[in-house]
Amino acid sequence: MASFKISDELIGRIETLIEEKNNHELTQLLGDLHYADIAEIIHELAIKDGVYIIRLIDAEKTSDVLTELDDDYRDKILENLSAKEIADELIELDTDDAVDIISELSEERKTEVISYIEDVEHAKDIVELLRYDDNTAGGLMAKELVKVNENWNVLKCVKEMREQAAYVTRVHSIYVVDDHDVLKGRLSLKDLLTTSTRSEVKDIYIPKVDYVYVTDTAEEVAHIMSKYDLEAIPVVDEMKRLVGRITIDDIVDVIKEGAEKDYQLAAGITNDVEADDSVWKLTLARLPWLLIGMFGGLGAASIINGFQDAMNKYPILLIFIPLIQATAGNVGVQSSAIVVQGLANNTIDGAIIKRLLKEFLLGLINGGTIAGIVILVSHFAFQAEYLVSITVAIALVTVIVNAAVIGTFIPILLHKRGIDPAVATGPFITTSNDVLGILIYFFIAKNILGF
Amino acid sequence: MASFKISDELIGRIETLIEEKNNHELTQLLGDLHYADIAEIIHELAIKDGVYIIRLIDAEKTSDVLTELDDDYRDKILENLSAKEIADELIELDTDDAVDIISELSEERKTEVISYIEDVEHAKDIVELLRYDDNTAGGLMAKELVKVNENWNVLKCVKEMREQAAYVTRVHSIYVVDDHDVLKGRLSLKDLLTTSTRSEVKDIYIPKVDYVYVTDTAEEVAHIMSKYDLEAIPVVDEMKRLVGRITIDDIVDVIKEGAEKDYQLAAGITNDVEADDSVWKLTLARLPWLLIGMFGGLGAASIINGFQDAMNKYPILLIFIPLIQATAGNVGVQSSAIVVQGLANNTIDGAIIKRLLKEFLLGLINGGTIAGIVILVSHFAFQAEYLVSITVAIALVTVIVNAAVIGTFIPILLHKRGIDPAVATGPFITTSNDVLGILIYFFIAKNILGF
């Protein structure tokens, strides 16, 4: 299947149809498309046209479209819909998706929307989910699941399940609970279909079941589900009562967003931005890191300025500043990226000291290689004095070892203190290594050349 | 559920039990653990101890353990197992996992292993899968799936499905094919259970079904499955015949690996390495990029060296080199990261020229802000001449705009030529922007200050 591609023609045609209010043709055209594709199209339209489409098409389809829209764009669409219209969309959705959509509304508006949801159970579930933090198992889970009581027999199970399944898009597992709703285990559909209808659930269920607590972080849930290849996992509260279920498609989003966030942090972009965002939003996300880099650069300037003597006596030292700086930056980013990824994958264990020693050794090997080449180039190509070449070589090795050790140490330290280690990657580590690298360079030069 | 954590005590105890050949206690201890956890434990053991555990525990469990091991470690384990032992493991696995395990063996060893697989159908399937490229839908798919013929009635379907389902770990969808095995659509389990047993499949199946071709890339499959929230997708050949099925858990791995690869490339790490790899392997992955950075640094050195006049007349120009360089590098990485991520998510469309203009504008805004601050600092803190401050400011804006445009343009160009744009991030873009930035700086200085 070729991946769906939006053409400018398609967008143009849809805009014309909206202008002409040709609802018949518009419904037909969009009716054939997947909701994810309609969402892609809407992103290319003006808000008022997006609202037009949402109003035109059945809530059954547009509710899914809404879940696919970018938060910013969706909030603008919602501003143009009445509370009743929003409620009609929510009714079509699983509780987790419904909560995602209304979580950004004002308290007042939320209350109004919920008052329009006639199905009291659905409304109750949404209100319950609203109180969980976005970034926890509670914030990810849906209330829709299939559960049976351990005291039921198979016949009753099948009957009850049929009813419950009507509300559940995909039945992954049948969970078994006791009279207090405490999670006891799970039932396989196969067993259920092949055992006598008189068997009791408590005799056939599988007591071994993976679960997470409502307060577990989204990252923990993602780690467990992907490690154990689970397609769904039940969520329990502090009393181990079954309160919800998380499915793998939500986890795919968590994994993608987590990877994107780390990537952006490493590249020095603070907010979650996309290429299509406004210049203003992109500036807000990019300028802060550039300013940090700027202060680093000014710091470096004042260090160099402080070594006026060196500048006068050995001007050739200055031509190697970019080399020292670039090398320090590159090594620091490499080291920190490996650690950050290891922390994200839970593969960093054992003593810190052992890891730092390893980076030290790595730094010596890489530094030695680079210093060796540079000493030759500096001697033959730049005709540098013997002692100057030695200075540059020793500085390079020191700077590389230092950057490797710092790049490894800082993320581990942040992680231990409960801070996301990814903030220590990118410009932050580059800038500090830049400044430190130049300081080391001049310090070594001063000692060897003695100015 | 708390995520499983390996303690040094546990590893020590297992090593002791292996030494004492206390198989009884070892089996009991490991029997309670999930295969993914056993794999984690084995990674901490010497190869011979890993082999001991694989031999000791049932193939039913160890086969899954093998699928979870790192490729390198697994290959070493396999070297210590006989062809017959490997075949016994493969028999327990789905075809896709079986193929993953033996794909790295020599042709001769593969043939020998396959000769020990008694189930001819299973062997045939494995041989078929072996010929697909790792990175395609064919390389990801399993042969295990549930399919029914459009000419069957529901009764026959249910009977056949029961048989097929015995070989399929998780039934996601029931695929409908014609007499030539051509994919026609899918059946919902619900419909099947609620229609009369005399109904014919052709009257009740859903003709709308997403699918991919065997030759589609893993990234395309991941994009489609995550965009459309699919938990499984059928794979067809050039004649649209149903040949396999890909499930979401395999895609989760593709997404994670893709994100990690991009992240590592951006950080200047060429091979897929982990923090725990050997110093040698880590050096091989890191040194190449550092050498590129080194040549960039030496290039910058020779540029500065070429402006001896400037160095003599305006030594203060030199103190701003780190600032110019760091800023160019940071901006380039930001711009390229945003484009690379947009390309990966298929959100980059429209004319290139529009995107470059936007980066140009962004560069002006960011550059203007930074230049404004720097002009003040250079005047008041460094007492630089009026013209020197102006030079630095103009150079900064030019360098920033240039880095932003290049950082945007190069990845798009690479992508258009079918090269992974992620190679253009990190040290590559940093280095070229460093060198170019310094060149621009001196060029502007020469024109303004006229040395």
Side-chain angles (χ1 to χ4, degrees), chain A residues 1 3-5 32 34-37 40 44 68 162 165 170 172 190 194 208 210-213 216 223-224 226-229 231 248-249 252 255-256 259-260 262-264 266-269 273-277 279 282-283 286-287 289-291 293-294 297-298 300-302 304-305 311 315 318-319 321-323 325-326 330-331 333-335 337-338 340-341 345-348 355 358-359 361-362 365-366 369-370 373-374 377 382 425 427 434 438, chain B residues 1 3-5 32 34-37 40 68 162 165 170 172 190 194 208 210-213 216 223-224 226-229 231 248-249 252 255-256 259-260 262-264 266-269 273-277 279 282-283 286-287 289-291 293-294 297-298 300-302 304-305 311 315 318-319 321-323 325-326 330-331 333-335 337-338 340-341 345-349 355 358-359 361-362 365-366 369-370 373-374 377 382 425 427 434 438:
Chain A
M1 185 173 77
S3 180
F4 173 80
K5 285 258 183 246
D32 289 339
H34 189 281
Y35 60 79
D37 294 327
E40 257 187 59
E44 302 290 315
E68 295 284 326
R162 260 178 203 266
R170 289 183 272 217
H172 285 272
K190 225 186 253 176
T194 51
K208 199 161 178 165
D210 293 310
Y211 58 88
V212 289
Y213 287 102
D216 284 346
H223 175 69
I224 289 171
S226 72
K227 176 173 169 186
Y228 298 129
D229 282 344
E231 300 198 337
I248 186 79
D249 52 321
V252 168
I255 291 173
K256 282 179 86 166
E260 286 186 2
D262 282 1
Y263 185 77
Q264 295 201 328
I269 303 161
V273 288
E274 283 177 29
D276 278 333
D277 284 335
V279 169
L282 283 166
T283 300
R286 292 171 61 165
L287 196 51
W289 278 124
L290 294 181
L291 289 174
M294 183 201 70
L298 290 173
S302 74
I304 302 176
N305 203 36
M311 285 171 70
L318 294 168
I319 72 169
I321 287 179
L323 173 66
Q325 183 183 355
N330 287 345
V331 171
V333 169
Q334 285 184 337
S335 300
I338 288 182
V340 166
Q341 213 159 54
N345 291 335
N346 271 336
T347 56
I348 300 277
R355 199 160 292 281
K358 187 171 173 183
E359 278 296 319
L361 183 60
L362 254 167
I365 297 174
N366 286 335
T369 314
I370 287 175
I373 301 176
V374 167
V377 174
F382 297 113
T425 54
D434 279 3
I438 287 168
Chain B
M1 187 173 74
S3 180
F4 173 79
K5 285 258 183 245
D32 288 339
H34 190 280
Y35 60 78
D37 293 328
E40 257 187 58
E68 294 284 325
R162 260 177 204 266
R170 289 182 271 218
H172 285 271
K190 226 188 252 178
T194 52
K208 201 163 177 160
D210 293 309
Y211 57 88
V212 289
Y213 288 103
D216 285 345
H223 175 69
I224 290 171
S226 72
K227 176 173 169 186
Y228 297 129
D229 282 345
E231 300 198 334
I248 188 79
D249 51 322
V252 168
I255 291 174
K256 282 179 87 166
E260 287 186 2
D262 283 0
Y263 185 76
Q264 294 200 327
I269 304 162
V273 288
E274 282 178 30
D276 279 333
D277 285 334
V279 169
L282 283 166
T283 300
R286 292 170 63 164
L287 195 53
W289 277 124
L290 292 182
L291 288 175
M294 183 199 71
L298 289 173
S302 74
I304 302 176
N305 203 36
M311 285 171 71
L318 294 168
I319 73 169
I321 287 179
L323 173 66
Q325 184 183 355
N330 287 346
V331 171
V333 169
Q334 285 184 337
S335 300
I338 288 181
V340 166
Q341 211 158 57
N345 291 334
N346 271 334
T347 56
I348 301 276
D349 33 42
R355 199 160 291 281
K358 188 171 172 184
E359 278 296 320
L361 183 60
L362 253 167
I365 297 174
N366 286 335
T369 314
I370 287 175
I373 301 175
V374 168
V377 174
F382 297 112
T425 53
D434 278 3
I438 288 168

Side-chain angles (χ1 to χ4, degrees), chain A residues 207-221:
Chain A
K208 199 161 178 165
V209 57
D210 293 310
Y211 58 88
V212 289
Y213 287 102
V214 268
T215 50
D216 284 346
T217 66
E219 286 73 27
E220 278 167 348
V221 178

Side-chain angles (χ1 to χ4, degrees), chain B residues 374-437:
Chain B
V374 168
I375 224 170
L376 292 176
V377 174
S378 117
H379 181 74
F380 290 106
F382 297 112
Q383 271 97 40
E385 277 175 51
Y386 179 65
L387 272 183
V388 169
S389 298
I390 294 283
T391 300
V392 174
I394 292 181
L396 271 174
V397 176
T398 316
V399 160
I400 287 176
V401 168
N402 177 65
V405 171
I406 288 187
T408 303
F409 183 69
I410 303 269
I412 293 181
L413 186 77
L414 289 182
H415 181 70
K416 284 219 181 244
R417 311 217 151 207
I419 302 167
D420 181 0
V423 302
T425 53
F428 182 77
I429 213 95
T430 318
T431 302
S432 47
N433 277 324
D434 278 3
V435 177
L436 217 55

Side-chain angles (χ1 to χ4, degrees), chain A residues 258-418:
Chain A
E260 286 186 2
K261 199 204 64 195
D262 282 1
Y263 185 77
Q264 295 201 328
L265 280 175
I269 303 161
T270 42
N271 299 320
D272 180 25
V273 288
E274 283 177 29
D276 278 333
D277 284 335
S278 68
V279 169
W280 173 238
K281 203 177 160 192
L282 283 166
T283 300
L284 274 186
R286 292 171 61 165
L287 196 51
W289 278 124
L290 294 181
L291 289 174
I292 290 179
M294 183 201 70
F295 285 116
L298 290 173
S302 74
I303 292 174
I304 302 176
N305 203 36
F307 286 91
Q308 293 280 357
D309 299 349
M311 285 171 70
N312 296 334
K313 269 175 87 176
Y314 295 99
I316 197 169
L317 278 180
L318 294 168
I319 72 169
F320 293 108
I321 287 179
L323 173 66
I324 299 281
Q325 183 183 355
T327 308
N330 287 345
V331 171
V333 169
Q334 285 184 337
S335 300
S336 63
I338 288 182
V339 172
V340 166
Q341 213 159 54
L343 289 170
N345 291 335
N346 271 336
T347 56
I348 300 277
D349 31 44
I352 295 186
I353 190 74
K354 219 174 107 189
R355 199 160 292 281
L356 292 179
L357 275 176
K358 187 171 173 183
E359 278 296 319
F360 187 85
L361 183 60
L362 254 167
L364 281 183
I365 297 174
N366 286 335
T369 314
I370 287 175
I373 301 176
V374 167
I375 224 170
L376 292 176
V377 174
S378 121
H379 181 74
F380 290 106
F382 297 113
Q383 272 98 40
E385 274 176 53
Y386 180 64
L387 272 182
V388 169
S389 297
I390 295 282
T391 299
V392 175
I394 293 180
L396 271 174
V397 176
T398 316
V399 160
I400 288 176
V401 168
N402 177 64
V405 171
I406 288 188
T408 304
F409 184 68
I410 302 270
I412 294 181
L413 185 77
L414 288 183
H415 181 71
K416 285 219 179 244
R417 311 218 150 206

